[in-house]
Amino acid sequence: MNKSAYHRDTWAEIDLQAIKHNVVEMKNHLNNKEVFAVVKADAYGHGEKEVAEAALNAGASRLAVAVFDEALRLREHFPEVPILVMGWTAPQYVRLAAQNNITLTAFQTEWVNQAKSYLKGEPLSIHLKVDTGMGRIGIRSVEEAYDVIRACDNTSIKITGVFTHFATADESDLLYYQQQLGAFKQWLKQVKPHLPDDLTVHIGNSAAAMRFPDDMYDGVRFGISMYGLYPSPTVKGEQPIKLKPAFSLYSRLIHVKKVHKGDAISYGATYKAQDEEWIGTIPIGYGDGWIRKLQDFSALVDGNKCPIVGRICMDQSMIKLNRPYELGTKVTLIGEDQNAFVSMDDAAEHLETINYEIPCILGQRIPRFYIT
Ligand SMILES: Cc1ncc(COP(=O)(O)O)c(C=O)c1O
């Protein structure tokens, strides 16, 4: 991204070396099984093109997205790389998918029948999605699978892969994971004789891939941990591989002032200074996805934790400083400053959500700059 195209003192830095490190670690952990770089939702808010390129350079061999439009965009940059759309794509787009050599996910006989009517002989590659307990999309029984496979017979629709998705692979209680794994094994045993030999079987997300590499068949769909984040506190505690976080978020002080005891800050005048205080203003707000619930969360200035005080506005927020700082002083909202850290996990904990959500909600008004 061209820095000179932006004129704003709030930005994100994406460390592509960290992405590469995480892919290499995962490849080694898996004894070289295939890594699908999951770059849906603009690479979890990190930037799809740049992350995809870094991941592929580091040894990922495929890209996985949720939505067909994401696949079409990536195809323009990566003409040869296998791309899988993991979500549902309307059957009227199958011809466009075939022409662009994009693999779609299928799990309904009705879908296959409709897809056939749109194809004009060009080969369409599909992966069958099996619902072993996620309860979202997928074939739930062997009989349903036979139906779908029969509908594909003698057509240009080629089943090239099979996959499932785990609901609890990141939890400490492993019973449900084991049940899903067992259900998949059973399903595959019965269905495999009806499928082509050169099938790619992939079942793991980051959590399953890191914790149970031996269960992982041919490849894994590597999402959150490619970005350097552990899928849950449980997995973070176990640290099956050492990850490097890729995303940092910065701003700068654009105004610094001394306020007196009782002076109010921001909408609603809900924050009142306890004493004489130094207050800094930073140009980030809920219009950037820096949502109002982040009030009372902390940012770092010169290695010091500075609480966000008063309501977060659409474009600006205020922080309580430990002393006066010069205009333009860097403020770290996510990342490291002189051995002090504010992590995605800290923000997620404050918002009572999961780390996945944080980079996804940081909007496009925040430019992403890439460290290569
Ligand atoms: C089907 C599917 N596979 C893989 C992933 C990647 O999961 P994670 O980010 O936990 O690695 C996702 C993400 O939600 C997904 O929906």
Side-chain angles (χ1 to χ4, degrees):
M1 192 169 279
N2 179 5
K3 272 197 182 183
S4 63
Y6 290 91
H7 309 91
R8 190 170 182 207
D9 279 329
T10 293
W11 73 100
E13 284 178 11
I14 315 298
D15 182 353
L16 295 177
Q17 292 303 330
I19 302 273
K20 287 183 180 173
H21 164 91
N22 299 329
V23 171
V24 168
E25 287 288 297
M26 179 50 91
K27 276 291 277 187
N28 292 340
H29 191 62
L30 289 170
N31 259 329
N32 265 337
K33 285 175 183 157
E34 273 201 80
V35 169
F36 294 51
V38 180
V39 290
K40 61 188 174 136
D42 199 25
Y44 294 39
H46 292 61
E48 61 190 12
K49 178 177 152 267
E50 291 81 0
V51 168
E53 196 166 2
L56 292 166
N57 284 339
S61 48
R62 304 186 192 219
L63 301 174
V65 292
V67 174
F68 183 45
D69 286 328
E70 297 176 320
L72 285 172
R73 270 202 309 271
L74 287 163
R75 177 55 79 226
E76 288 186 16
H77 299 291
F78 307 100
E80 306 295 337
V81 176
I83 303 177
L84 170 67
V85 179
M86 301 183 292
W88 188 85
T89 305
Q92 58 264 41
Y93 304 125
V94 292
R95 198 160 177 224
L96 191 57
Q99 286 163 347
N100 283 280
N101 196 16
I102 288 168
T103 301
L104 299 182
T105 290
F107 48 92
Q108 297 147 324
T109 307
E110 193 188 338
W111 184 92
V112 173
N113 287 332
Q114 287 186 28
K116 285 192 286 199
S117 70
Y118 288 100
L119 287 169
K120 305 272 178 279
E122 33 310 69
L124 174 74
S125 153
I126 60 168
H127 284 197
L128 294 182
K129 177 76 184 279
V130 191
D131 181 6
T132 51
M134 177 69 187
R136 195 166 59 178
I137 54 172
I139 296 166
R140 288 177 74 93
S141 69
V142 170
E143 290 69 33
E144 268 182 67
Y146 292 154
D147 266 357
V148 175
I149 294 165
R150 246 191 316 271
C152 294
D153 275 351
N154 304 317
T155 70
S156 56
I157 302 177
K158 304 287 169 227
I159 301 170
T160 55
V162 165
F163 71 114
T164 193
H165 190 52
F166 293 110
T168 64
D170 59 343
E171 291 184 7
S172 56
D173 182 344
L174 292 174
L175 183 64
Y176 200 74
Y177 169 79
Q178 295 297 355
Q179 283 172 356
Q180 277 198 265
L181 182 66
F184 183 76
K185 281 185 179 160
Q186 268 301 108
W187 182 93
L188 191 61
K189 196 169 146 200
Q190 294 180 71
V191 174
K192 207 158 181 207
H194 304 271
L195 293 172
D197 290 336
D198 54 348
L199 200 66
T200 304
V201 180
H202 49 104
I203 60 172
N205 52 5
S206 297
M210 286 193 291
R211 300 175 90 191
F212 315 110
D214 295 340
D215 292 346
M216 291 297 106
Y217 291 89
D218 304 319
V220 303
R221 303 183 305 276
F222 194 33
I224 194 70
S225 297
M226 183 170 73
Y227 304 98
L229 303 172
Y230 291 93
S232 68
T234 298
V235 184
K236 192 173 185 176
E238 293 171 1
Q239 302 240 338
I241 59 178
K242 279 258 176 273
L243 300 172
K244 287 192 184 165
F247 195 111
S248 303
L249 179 64
Y250 302 107
S251 192
R252 289 191 190 279
L253 293 174
I254 54 148
H255 189 50
V256 176
K257 61 179 175 279
K258 188 197 253 182
V259 298
H260 301 286
K261 185 173 177 176
D263 285 353
I265 301 293
S266 197
Y267 288 116
T270 55
Y271 179 79
K272 299 259 170 41
Q274 317 276 303
D275 216 326
E276 283 208 333
E277 289 176 4
W278 287 97
I279 299 291
T281 302
I282 51 175
I284 185 168
Y286 62 80
D288 300 298
W290 194 249
I291 60 175
R292 283 163 45 117
K293 276 206 166 158
L294 284 162
Q295 184 174 339
D296 300 328
F297 189 56
S298 292
L300 299 171
V301 180
D302 198 26
N304 297 290
K305 282 207 161 174
C306 301
I308 298 170
V309 293
R311 290 193 185 146
I312 291 175
C313 309
M314 191 184 291
D315 318 295
Q316 299 169 84
S317 312
M318 275 61 77
I319 56 178
K320 184 175 147 185
L321 303 169
N322 58 321
R323 63 172 179 81
Y325 287 94
E326 279 182 17
L327 284 188
T329 300
K330 190 171 173 182
V331 178
T332 302
L333 296 155
I334 306 277
E336 183 190 354
D337 180 15
Q338 300 174 41
N339 293 325
F341 291 90
V342 182
S343 68
M344 286 284 180
D345 292 344
D346 295 334
E349 198 183 327
H350 184 89
L351 293 175
E352 296 177 54
T353 183
I354 52 173
N355 53 19
Y356 293 65
E357 212 175 359
I358 311 297
C360 286
I361 62 171
L362 293 173
Q364 287 304 316
R365 196 167 74 168
I366 301 173
R368 271 72 167 163
F369 299 130
Y370 293 91
I371 302 170
T372 53

